[in-house]
Amino acid sequence: MLKQSIRFGAAAFIFIAVIVLALPLTAHAATVFPPFITAATAAATAAQEGHIPEKVSALPDLAFSAFYGLIFLYFYNRLIRRQTPLSLQPEQARGGRNTLYALAAGFILAFAVRLWIGASNPGYVNDLKTFMFWAQRASDGGLSHFYEKGMFADYPPGYIYVLYVLGTIQHWLGLADTSIGARVLYKFPAILADLISGLLLYRLGARRIGRTAAFGLAMLYIWNPAVIADSAAWGQVDSVFAFVLVLSLFGIARGRLTAGTVWFAIAALVKPQAFIFTPVLLLTYWHSRSGKRAAAAVLSGFAAFLLLAAPFFWSNGGVRGLIDLYTSTLSSYPYATLNAFNLYMLTGGNWAQLADSWLYMPYEAWGKIGIVLAVAFAAMYSLRRKKSGEDGLAPSLYIAIVLIAAVFVLVTKMHERYLFPVILLCAAAFIQSKDRRMLYLLFGFSITQFVNINYVLAFSHINSHPTADGIAILCSITNLCLLAYLLYVGFELYIRRRTQPVKPYTNEDASRAEEMRLAELYASPGEAAAVKKTNRLKRRDWLWMGGITAVYAIVAFIQLGSHQGPVTDWKPEMSGQSFYVDFGESEPLDSFVAFGGVGSGKYKLEFSDSPDQWGHPVEVDHTSSSVFKWNKQKLVDVDARYAKLTVESAGFTLHELAFYASGSDTPLPIVTINADDAASAERGSVQALFDEQNLATNKPSFMNGAYFDEIYHARTAYEFLHGMNAYENTHPPLGKLLIAVGIKIFGLNTFGWRVVGTVFGIGMLPIMYVFALRLFRRTGYAAIATGLFAVDFMHFTQTRIATIDVYGVFFIMLMFYFMHRYRDTDFYKLPLRSAIWPLFWSGLFFGIGAASKWIVLYGGAGLAVVLFMTLYSRYRQYAAAKKTLAASGGMFVERIEGEEGLLRHVVREFPVAPFGRWLAASCFSWLFRQRSMRRRLSRCLTPSRPAIRLKVL
């Protein structure tokens, strides 16, 4: 059955959708693939120069997460659930040579992509520089002098061996530290570990779940965005550590205690985080029931540990020096959390000192409680699990997952990458347990770890670290939920012994799915008529839709804006022009206001009691933010009879100028205007500045002036009307032209440039109603959806502002409505000319919307997805019909009005593109006007509507 894949698909979609919905809460970072590196670098440079806040786009993270979700669904359903062989030979049903070819191709491509990313992405610069410094020191000074006093090195000796080799190679090749070759060289071990880990999963999985499913699991790992981000983008070595750790866990769980313990010692030499998994070792020794074997394994592990560390500490402190290294490393970074999306990120503890308090206790105490809880969880699942005769691998791997997840979420001093091993551990645990919930955990932890790593990587480019914003909070909560789900799965799997295996997609499931698709074709005319009748608006629908729309319209037009505004204007011809006005007598001036027009420039106002001597200069910069609004300037201790305006930089336009005396809200009357030095003007005259004084106000507000992006869009609409060069040209012109219609009808005022957008906002409500009615087929649900939309503050506010967003959203709603109608239209049963109209309207409104604002192009991607899904559904109907006809062997009743006629029509109709046939019919009809030709075309292209009755002889 398809229920399980549908459930998982819905869960994956909801998870990604929640992240998308969190976008308004945050602005965040991601730069994994080169196309996004340039944008991130530009953002970082701008942030350092103080031009913008420290933020970069979250789109790459979301895009790659969604893409990995699609990859996951494909491999899960196509290879793991269906066990579809990659070989066409029946005897190789569990995968054969073609599987190996596909495996090799997948790994080669993954390797090439990693090299490309490694070369293009600068990575976490501080880590790479540190690795290069350590490599050169080890290569030049030898291993015995590496940990000398005064040398900073918080990595144990294990990976220093690798760095020693890399340093030697770098020196031999003559690669500079800043070269791309050196960057790729130091990322190469982690990249190689990624691929080897994938091969390990394939080899282990081929024995237990089949080669095809193992191939799918290996692909899920090597194409995991978190794995790629950590090694190829960041340049860290967590893949090396995770690979060695899994080798250790496999060894000790299979009873090879000595080999497993030696591998554990190597893992501890690579990264000290290996000690998190020490309880797995101890519990395995306990279950072995053999003191001698456990003692031998411990001694072998210690011997390997000391032997590998000896070249570094033999003459440099000995065992004491080795202990001091681990002690200092484990005690470093005394913070609640270091960019890890866990419990303490939610409490605001990122980079907070351990001594800081949360809920009346210091973070250090909470960290110790977290350690106790992690060990307690591990011991509970290990000691209470029922003996089942298995080799113990799955419980040990599960306990390791519990330990790393609980420590990461609940313990302090965690870095963002400490959760990384859980991805490989979940994949390995699935191989042994065959419980599909392990795959769900793999997917969930992969997404949160990818976002966490990428987030921190992007912020490193601007020398900063993330804060507890929307993405960080959401991922932290998700990690807490995943930990809870992990504990629940362990309780069900290892205590209650309830396994949820991957349900295979059998031939019976495929047959039932085909029957369902054919049932859609066999829908009776009565059923189709009932659905069509449900979509029609009834009297109560008109009442609900009309009532909600009318109430909203009344509220929307209340205080939308003033119906009057200054119209006449003056634009000086050149700099240096001036004029002055006479108030008749000396007045104590409080302020002046100027209604700005298009253009930019600078002017100066001066005041005096005599037109021969001026003082109290006030310089005004007329910028784009001054357009179509009353710009008020306060005056201090100014008593004057005359006011003079001098153009310092021409290019600006003024519509009205008014002066106010102290304690008065009425503009001072202008007795005379002396404009001898400003007689010529590019547009208008000086007198135009004082001919609409009744409209002036010294209390600017949204009612009498532009605000927000109206200073761009309303201005551009005005420029279109007057044949000027458009100021705002980053988006297509249609939205501004629609604003211009309102200005043309109602004049240059706030109501005029807002009214059209408000009307479009009102029009969205009926669209919402009919769309919801079509989706839910219930009047009540449609009314609720429309009512919620009507009281949405964002919709109400945005549609009452003269911006172009409203037009884009309006046409987005229309284009998806008609695409949904096309999805419900079956072109097998309707003439193509009838079935094509919804698609035509959807495309038309997409084009109109894109001509309003570029954001509609993103909606076009959604249209393409819906169209693809619709055509794919039609294709599956076609495939089912073709298969049924082939299997029937002529058993259908031979009549054109029966099922065989319908199925043959479907098989004949689908391979020919509907658009091509419709276009061809139109061309032939236009070229050949003969009545007979048109009749033949009509018969050819209008499908019959068979009465459906299945009869098999």
Side-chain angles (χ1 to χ4, degrees):
M1 295 178 67
L2 292 173
K3 288 184 178 180
Q4 301 303 328
S5 60
I6 292 174
R7 288 176 182 173
F8 180 75
F13 175 80
I14 291 171
F15 178 78
I16 295 170
V18 168
I19 295 181
V20 173
L21 291 176
L23 269 176
L25 302 176
T26 182
H28 123 88
T31 54
V32 174
F33 288 89
F36 302 101
I37 293 174
T38 303
T41 306
T45 304
Q48 291 173 347
E49 294 175 356
H51 299 313
I52 61 173
E54 295 180 347
K55 61 180 181 180
V56 291
S57 174
L59 181 62
D61 280 1
L62 302 178
F64 294 133
S65 297
F67 181 67
Y68 183 68
L70 296 176
I71 293 176
F72 196 101
L73 287 174
Y74 174 80
F75 284 117
Y76 179 77
N77 287 297
R78 188 69 181 174
L79 299 179
I80 297 177
R81 282 200 64 215
R82 298 194 184 191
Q83 284 284 288
T84 302
L86 298 178
S87 171
L88 300 179
Q89 301 300 324
E91 63 271 14
Q92 297 174 334
R94 292 180 66 81
R97 181 175 297 176
N98 284 2
T99 304
L100 296 179
Y101 289 157
L103 185 73
F107 273 77
I108 291 173
L109 183 60
F111 179 66
V113 169
R114 280 169 166 80
L115 289 181
W116 172 48
I117 297 172
S120 304
N121 197 301
Y124 199 91
V125 178
N126 289 340
D127 281 0
L128 289 178
K129 286 183 177 180
T130 301
F131 288 159
M132 293 177 185
F133 173 71
W134 289 346
Q136 292 170 5
R137 178 177 175 84
S139 177
D140 295 341
L143 301 179
S144 60
H145 299 287
F146 184 80
Y147 289 106
E148 287 183 344
K149 188 175 181 180
M151 168 67 180
F152 169 77
D154 56 355
Y155 269 46
Y159 198 70
I160 305 303
Y161 281 109
V162 179
L163 293 178
Y164 174 81
V165 175
L166 296 180
T168 303
I169 294 174
Q170 181 186 5
H171 179 74
W172 179 62
L173 296 176
L175 299 175
D177 290 348
T178 56
S179 65
I180 294 178
R183 183 192 306 167
V184 174
L185 177 64
Y186 283 90
K187 292 180 178 182
F188 187 80
I191 292 174
L192 188 62
D194 289 349
L195 304 179
I196 295 176
S197 298
L199 286 174
L200 176 65
L201 290 176
Y202 174 78
R203 182 171 180 180
L204 294 172
R207 302 171 183 173
R208 292 187 58 87
I209 60 177
R211 290 183 179 179
T212 304
F215 166 78
L217 191 62
M219 292 297 104
L220 288 178
Y221 184 79
I222 65 173
W223 289 104
N224 192 300
V227 177
I228 296 174
D230 188 88
S231 59
W234 186 301
Q236 257 293 344
V237 298
D238 299 283
S239 290
V240 178
F241 168 67
F243 172 72
V244 178
L245 177 68
V246 169
L247 287 179
S248 169
L249 295 175
F250 270 111
I252 61 175
R254 287 185 169 180
R256 301 171 183 172
L257 299 185
T258 300
T261 306
V262 169
W263 279 114
F264 186 84
I266 296 174
L269 284 169
V270 174
K271 275 184 174 283
Q273 288 79 33
F275 292 122
I276 295 173
F277 303 91
T278 302
V280 180
L281 244 68
L282 299 178
L283 291 169
T284 303
Y285 296 154
W286 170 265
H287 289 295
S288 70
R289 304 298 183 183
S290 175
K292 291 182 179 179
R293 291 182 62 211
V298 171
L299 290 176
S300 299
F302 271 115
F305 186 81
L306 295 175
L307 183 63
L308 291 174
F312 294 88
F313 294 96
W314 185 264
S315 59
N316 190 25
V319 176
R320 184 70 236 177
L322 182 61
I323 295 174
D324 290 341
L325 171 65
Y326 278 92
T327 302
S328 61
T329 299
L330 294 174
S331 61
S332 59
Y333 303 107
Y335 304 102
T337 180
L338 294 92
N339 304 325
F341 291 167
N342 57 13
L343 173 65
Y344 306 111
M345 177 65 76
L346 295 175
T347 67
N350 194 28
W351 291 91
Q353 295 289 331
L354 289 177
D356 294 347
S357 294
W358 175 60
L359 293 182
Y360 309 107
M361 286 198 303
Y363 282 114
E364 186 174 11
W366 286 110
K368 292 177 181 178
I369 294 174
I371 294 174
V372 172
L373 288 175
V375 175
F377 291 146
M380 178 184 69
Y381 288 112
S382 178
L383 299 178
R384 290 190 58 186
R385 65 185 174 91
K386 297 179 181 179
K387 297 181 180 180
S388 60
E390 295 183 1
D391 58 11
L393 175 60
S396 296
L397 289 171
Y398 172 78
I399 292 168
I401 296 172
V402 169
L403 282 169
I404 188 61
V407 168
F408 180 84
V409 173
L410 302 176
V411 178
T412 54
K413 302 169 64 174
M414 291 293 108
H415 290 248
E416 64 286 325
R417 295 168 289 98
Y418 283 8
L419 188 62
F420 182 86
V422 78
I423 301 173
L424 187 58
L425 289 171
C426 284
F430 168 74
I431 292 175
Q432 182 62 26
S433 68
K434 300 180 183 179
D435 193 298
R436 62 178 180 269
R437 291 171 293 188
M438 291 299 175
L439 291 178
Y440 302 164
L441 289 166
L442 185 152
F443 177 78
F445 281 125
S446 295
I447 297 301
T448 58
Q449 182 67 169
F450 167 65
V451 174
N452 201 164
I453 290 175
N454 242 19
Y455 196 94
V456 177
L457 178 60
F459 267 88
S460 72
H461 294 172
I462 53 178
N463 298 320
S464 182
H465 57 79
T467 58
D469 58 14
I471 290 293
I473 291 173
L474 181 62
C475 286
S476 300
I477 294 175
T478 303
N479 278 330
L480 283 168
C481 294
L482 287 172
L483 175 60
Y485 181 68
L486 173 64
L487 298 176
Y488 166 76
V489 170
F491 179 77
E492 288 285 303
L493 187 59
Y494 298 115
I495 295 180
R496 302 184 68 179
R497 309 300 299 172
R498 295 180 179 178
T499 304
Q500 292 187 12
V502 174
K503 293 186 177 181
Y505 190 75
T506 63
N507 293 332
E508 290 76 10
D509 295 327
S511 298
R512 280 194 293 269
E514 289 179 359
E515 291 174 4
M516 293 176 62
R517 287 190 284 272
L518 292 176
E520 297 175 0
L521 292 173
Y522 295 156
S524 66
E527 294 173 349
V531 173
K532 186 175 182 180
K533 185 177 179 180
T534 304
N535 292 329
R536 290 178 178 173
L537 293 176
K538 303 178 181 65
R539 183 173 180 271
R540 63 176 179 271
D541 292 314
W542 286 105
L543 290 175
W544 276 109
M545 183 177 67
I548 295 173
T549 304
V551 172
Y552 176 86
I554 294 172
V555 176
F557 279 113
I558 294 176
Q559 288 194 323
L560 179 61
S562 174
H563 291 261
Q564 292 182 315
V567 177
T568 58
D569 58 1
W570 170 68
K571 185 174 184 180
E573 186 178 42
M574 64 184 72
S575 301
Q577 289 183 310
S578 66
F579 68 87
Y580 65 87
V581 296
D582 182 5
F583 304 129
E585 60 181 356
S586 182
E587 297 282 355
L589 300 180
D590 175 73
S591 60
F592 68 90
V593 294
F595 192 86
V598 299
S600 59
K602 191 175 183 180
Y603 58 90
K604 178 175 65 175
L605 279 166
E606 298 174 285
F607 305 90
S608 175
D609 283 330
S610 169
D612 299 326
Q613 203 170 19
W614 300 98
H616 307 287
V618 177
E619 292 187 346
V620 179
D621 283 325
H622 186 94
T623 63
S624 60
S625 61
S626 307
V627 175
F628 294 164
K629 59 195 294 188
W630 293 100
N631 302 284
K632 183 176 180 179
Q633 292 281 343
K634 292 288 291 183
L635 300 174
V636 180
D637 297 330
V638 177
D639 294 296
R641 176 178 175 177
Y642 300 95
K644 179 183 179 181
L645 186 148
T646 303
V647 178
E648 294 195 340
S649 177
F652 64 88
T653 302
L654 294 178
H655 285 257
E656 199 69 19
L657 184 64
F659 299 89
Y660 290 87
S662 299
S664 174
D665 293 332
T666 303
L668 287 171
I670 305 300
V671 178
T672 60
I673 303 173
N674 188 318
D676 294 341
D677 293 336
S680 60
E682 186 173 329
R683 187 172 61 251
S685 63
V686 172
Q687 286 73 16
L689 296 179
F690 305 98
D691 62 347
E692 298 169 296
Q693 294 286 288
N694 61 308
L695 301 178
T697 176
N698 65 346
K699 296 179 180 179
S701 70
F702 76 96
M703 287 292 293
N704 51 48
Y707 72 110
F708 193 51
D709 282 352
E710 289 183 337
I711 59 177
Y712 307 122
H713 299 128
R715 167 184 177 170
T716 305
Y718 174 85
E719 290 168 337
F720 281 154
L721 283 175
H722 292 81
M724 304 177 185
N725 292 328
Y727 175 76
E728 199 284 316
N729 55 14
T730 59
H731 286 281
L734 182 58
K736 278 88 72 174
L737 290 172
L738 291 170
I739 296 174
V741 172
I743 298 176
K744 182 68 175 179
I745 297 173
F746 296 98
L748 184 63
N749 52 67
T750 51
F751 183 86
W753 62 63
R754 293 171 188 163
V755 63
V756 176
T758 304
V759 170
F760 271 74
I762 295 170
M764 290 182 191
L765 270 68
I767 299 174
M768 178 63 73
Y769 189 93
V770 295
F771 206 163
L773 183 64
R774 193 169 190 88
L775 290 172
F776 302 114
R777 297 175 183 174
R778 296 285 183 87
T779 297
Y781 292 158
I784 291 173
T786 309
L788 291 174
F789 190 50
V791 298
D792 180 73
F793 294 149
M794 178 63 76
H795 169 256
F796 181 76
T797 302
Q798 197 70 43
T799 57
R800 285 164 41 93
I801 304 175
T803 59
I804 58 178
D805 302 87
V806 57
Y807 309 109
V809 174
F810 179 84
F811 293 115
I812 284 174
M813 294 177 67
L814 280 176
M815 71 189 195
F816 274 102
Y817 169 75
F818 282 103
M819 180 58 74
H820 185 268
R821 288 192 58 175
Y822 176 76
R823 189 188 71 86
D824 289 345
T825 300
D826 193 341
F827 56 66
Y828 293 133
K829 297 182 181 180
L830 292 176
L832 285 176
R833 292 179 179 178
S834 300
I836 210 72
W837 277 112
L839 191 62
F840 167 78
W841 288 113
S842 179
L844 178 65
F845 288 123
F846 166 68
I848 296 174
S852 303
K853 190 169 184 180
W854 292 125
I855 61 169
V856 182
L857 295 178
Y858 297 113
L863 282 184
V865 172
V866 177
L867 179 61
F868 170 79
M869 294 174 62
T870 302
L871 295 179
Y872 181 66
S873 175
R874 301 292 181 262
Y875 166 76
R876 298 188 74 177
Q877 290 178 344
Y878 155 77
K882 186 176 181 180
K883 184 176 180 181
T884 303
L885 282 174
S888 66
M891 298 295 289
F892 280 97
V893 176
E894 291 291 338
R895 65 167 183 247
I896 194 65
E897 293 295 324
E899 288 82 357
E900 185 181 17
L902 173 63
L903 297 182
R904 291 190 185 281
H905 171 70
V906 170
V907 173
R908 184 178 62 251
E909 187 78 9
F910 183 84
V912 181
F915 308 106
R917 295 191 64 184
W918 179 78
L919 181 61
S922 301
C923 292
F924 279 123
S925 177
W926 179 72
L927 291 174
F928 305 101
R929 296 293 183 178
Q930 291 87 350
R931 182 177 300 177
S932 59
M933 178 63 73
R934 292 202 299 271
R935 287 178 179 175
R936 291 176 185 175
L937 288 172
S938 178
R939 290 196 202 102
C940 176
L941 296 177
T942 303
S944 60
R945 305 185 186 201
I948 307 301
R949 288 193 301 273
L950 182 63
K951 289 187 177 181
V952 180
L953 298 178

